[in-house]
């Protein structure tokens, strides 16, 4: 049975706020605070260390991984959770390079999120100076896939512009060239339909605090294609990736599943919150999320373009080439976004001039989207952004 959207009753969103930043930090799901309180007071407080067994903390990383897997087309047991996305990028890349020892080039694009590129640069410095990170423009990726690549590492949906790569086509091209494919799904999981199994990509990684609403610092996830798992040599060979952590063996012997990409003790409180957050996805089809998301994005673009001609669309106009976010460029984008937030519409800003708006059909409807555009029109037409309080940049934009 498909659930009707939106499901606002699953979230605690402050009254008077139109939240268009679920692409950056999802809102608080109902039940998350209660679950955290239960884990802390009852499980940790009363059960103490027994809770690893009695409350089944030990299997929580896998249970949560399987719930995420359902949203990204990954089979049971193929998604491990924990650590941060940056670490998962490092692990996937290190494993990919080991799989192609005779090749020395990693291909990525200039639209990628900086930490993905930084992790690649750091890995290269650690292992061998002969390796090269080749970064081309997003639209040049297909032509840049050549026979010397060890790995192609891309983020499917661009965090700035929402431009979306064709996952199946690029993966096929990478494989035809003999390269290992790594997808970062930070802006895809819970945002657009993904069929990882069908894509045949070797690795995928993502975070859970954006569209999956797991809360600030929620654990990341990593997928490895089941048929390659046993050949993966984990660069971070932690005890939680060991085949038998409590055998306390002196030598590392990896688990025979994706669990080998886990590192250390899982963050149980944060994982529990994420588990509660995933309740909002029960019975939801990603195809329904997608059609609602396209409708919300189209409506917003149409409203903003007719009301605020000074703003220029910085996302692809064709919905098939766009994720679940819309960006506009405006010279005074930072100040305008601060003014907008002050007026109850929360989006965010990315350098140099991008006003970013995320659309999340789980808790947003068209009426709110139209209202947000109306408020934005007032900020721009009346130049409310000129107020001195909107000019100073905070550390987080
Ligand atoms: C949000 C995001 C990150 C953040 O990484 P963390 O380690 O969770 O801070 C990394 N990569 C991409 C593509 C992102 O969108």
């Amino acid at each position: 049975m498909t659930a009707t959207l939106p499901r606002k009753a699953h979230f605690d969103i402050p009254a008077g706020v139109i939240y268009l930043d679920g692409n950056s930090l999802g809102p608080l799901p109902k039940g998350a605070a209660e679950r955290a309180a239960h884990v802390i007071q009852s499980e940790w407080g009363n059960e103490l260390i027994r809770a690893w067994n009695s409350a089944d903390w030990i299997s929580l990383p896998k249970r949560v991984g399987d719930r995420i897997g359902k949203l990204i087309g990954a089979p049971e047991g193929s998604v491990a959770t924990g650590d941060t996305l940056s670490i998962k990028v490092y692990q996937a890349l290190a494993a990919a390079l080991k799989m192609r020892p005779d090749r020395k080039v990693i291909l990525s694009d200039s639209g990628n999120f900086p930490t993905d590129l930084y992790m690649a640069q750091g890995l290269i410095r650690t292992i061998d100076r002969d390796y090269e990170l080749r970064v081309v423009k997003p639209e040049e990726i297909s032509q840049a896939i050549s026979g010397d690549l060890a790995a192609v590492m891309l983020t499917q949906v661009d965090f700035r512009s929402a431009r979306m790569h064709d996952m199946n086509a690029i993966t096929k091209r990478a494989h035809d060239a003999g390269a290992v494919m790594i997808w970062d799904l930070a802006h895809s999981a819970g945002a657009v339909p993904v069929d990882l199994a069908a894509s045949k990509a070797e690795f995928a990684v993502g975070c859970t605090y954006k569209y999956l609403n797991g809360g600030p610092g929620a654990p990341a996830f990593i997928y490895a294609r089941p048929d390659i798992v046993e050949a993966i040599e984990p660069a971070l060979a932690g005890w939680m990736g060991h085949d038998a952590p409590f055998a306390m063996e002196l030598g590392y012997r990896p688990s025979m599943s994706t669990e080998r990409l886990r590192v250390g003790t899982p963050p149980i409180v944060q994982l529990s919150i994420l588990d509660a957050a995933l309740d909002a996805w029960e019975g939801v089809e990603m195809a329904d999320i997608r059609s609602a998301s396209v409708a919300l994005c189209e409506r917003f673009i149409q409203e903003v373009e007719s009301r605020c001609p000074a703003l220029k669309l910085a996302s692809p106009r064709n919905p098939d080439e766009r994720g679940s976010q819309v960006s506009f460029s405006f010279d005074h984008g930072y100040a305008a976004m601060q003014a907008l937030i002050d007026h109850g519409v929360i989006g965010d800003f990315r350098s140099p001039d991008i006003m970013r708006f995320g659309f999340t059909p789980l808790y947003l409807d068209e009426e709110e989207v139209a209202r947000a555009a109306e408020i934005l029109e007032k900020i721009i037409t009346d130049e409310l952004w000129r107020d001195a309080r909107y000019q100073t940049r905070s550390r987080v934009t």
Side-chain angles (χ1 to χ4, degrees):
M1 201 187 72
T2 31
T4 50
L5 297 168
R7 330 180 97 188
K8 290 178 203 279
H10 284 260
F11 296 89
D12 269 326
I13 298 173
V17 165
I18 300 177
Y19 196 58
L20 305 183
D21 215 3
N23 54 313
S24 205
L25 176 68
L28 175 64
K30 286 221 172 91
E34 290 77 1
R35 176 72 179 268
H38 177 77
V39 169
I40 292 169
Q41 287 162 359
S42 172
E43 296 179 0
W44 178 19
N46 291 330
E47 288 295 292
L48 296 161
I49 200 163
R50 293 171 292 187
W52 283 103
N53 292 308
S54 62
D56 203 17
W57 286 353
I58 196 68
S59 78
L60 189 58
K62 179 178 183 305
R63 283 187 277 130
V64 170
D66 284 339
R67 296 186 80 181
I68 295 168
K70 287 202 183 103
L71 299 173
I72 54 175
E76 194 147 313
S78 65
V79 176
T81 55
D83 314 304
T84 64
L85 176 49
S86 302
I87 287 175
K88 282 357 219 178
V89 166
Y90 186 93
Q91 287 181 292
L93 202 50
L97 296 185
K98 283 272 185 191
M99 290 165 67
R100 296 291 181 274
D102 50 337
R103 296 182 175 206
K104 301 254 164 178
V105 181
I106 301 162
L107 178 69
S108 193
D109 75 45
S110 53
N112 208 344
F113 195 89
T115 203
D116 296 43
L117 302 175
Y118 302 161
M119 293 311 280
Q121 292 159 8
L123 174 65
I124 288 172
R125 278 194 299 271
T126 306
I127 53 174
D128 186 336
R129 289 179 194 283
D130 289 348
Y131 277 91
E132 176 197 344
L133 171 64
R134 193 174 289 162
V135 178
V136 302
K137 293 197 184 112
E139 54 281 13
E140 289 165 2
I141 276 291
S142 268
Q143 304 95 281
I145 294 177
S146 51
D148 60 341
L149 304 181
V152 179
M153 174 190 77
L154 295 173
T155 297
Q156 187 192 13
V157 178
D158 188 302
F159 75 102
R160 258 193 216 96
S161 67
R163 177 203 37 73
M164 183 160 64
H165 279 305
D166 182 335
M167 190 161 172
N168 290 347
I170 291 176
T171 304
K172 176 159 191 323
R173 244 187 123 83
H175 287 169
D176 288 348
V180 176
M181 186 72 225
I182 302 166
W183 285 106
D184 188 327
L185 304 179
H187 292 272
S188 307
V192 297
V194 172
D195 192 343
L196 270 180
S199 81
K200 300 200 169 61
E202 282 84 353
F203 296 98
V205 294
C207 54
T208 61
Y209 48 80
K210 292 172 181 164
Y211 293 88
L212 297 180
N213 315 309
F221 66 85
I222 185 163
Y223 159 88
R225 206 177 67 202
D227 64 293
I228 62 159
V229 161
E230 293 183 18
I232 295 172
E233 288 180 45
L236 304 172
W239 74 309
M240 283 293 151
H242 193 280
D243 191 41
F246 284 87
M248 304 287 177
E249 294 167 9
L250 291 186
Y252 180 72
R253 193 163 54 76
S255 151
M256 295 318 265
S257 74
T258 311
E259 301 270 291
R260 73 173 57 190
L261 292 170
R262 286 178 54 194
V263 184
T265 303
I268 293 300
V269 177
Q270 195 81 59
L271 266 170
S272 303
I273 293 172
L274 173 58
D275 193 31
L278 291 168
D279 288 349
W281 293 93
E282 282 300 321
V284 173
E285 297 291 335
M286 281 311 299
D288 295 335
I289 290 284
R290 179 62 176 164
S291 49
S293 148
V294 169
L296 295 176
C297 291
E298 291 287 282
R299 178 75 189 268
F300 190 69
I301 292 173
Q302 178 211 321
E303 295 280 348
V304 172
E305 288 192 324
S306 67
R307 294 167 183 276
C308 316
L311 272 58
K312 294 281 168 274
L313 184 65
S315 294
R317 190 166 293 280
N318 178 355
D320 296 339
E321 295 167 15
R322 198 173 63 215
S324 198
Q325 167 202 322
V326 172
S327 302
F328 283 94
S329 57
F330 179 53
D331 282 348
H332 309 283
Y334 182 78
M337 183 53 79
Q338 302 322 300
L340 191 63
I341 293 170
D342 221 13
H343 287 76
V345 179
I346 302 183
D348 63 19
F349 172 82
R350 287 294 175 266
S351 245
D353 62 353
I354 298 289
M355 298 178 75
R356 216 167 56 139
F357 304 91
F359 295 90
T360 47
L362 274 188
Y363 50 85
L364 270 180
D365 59 36
E366 280 206 44
E367 205 182 300
E368 286 167 293
V369 166
R371 177 86 190 111
E374 246 174 65
I375 298 170
L376 178 59
E377 178 181 18
K378 188 170 166 52
I379 306 283
I380 303 294
T381 313
D382 299 350
E383 302 197 348
L384 298 183
W385 52 266
R386 286 197 185 275
D387 195 303
R389 13 188 204 147
Y390 304 138
Q391 313 304 320
T392 334
R393 290 208 187 181
S394 306
R395 288 181 66 192
V396 176
T397 64

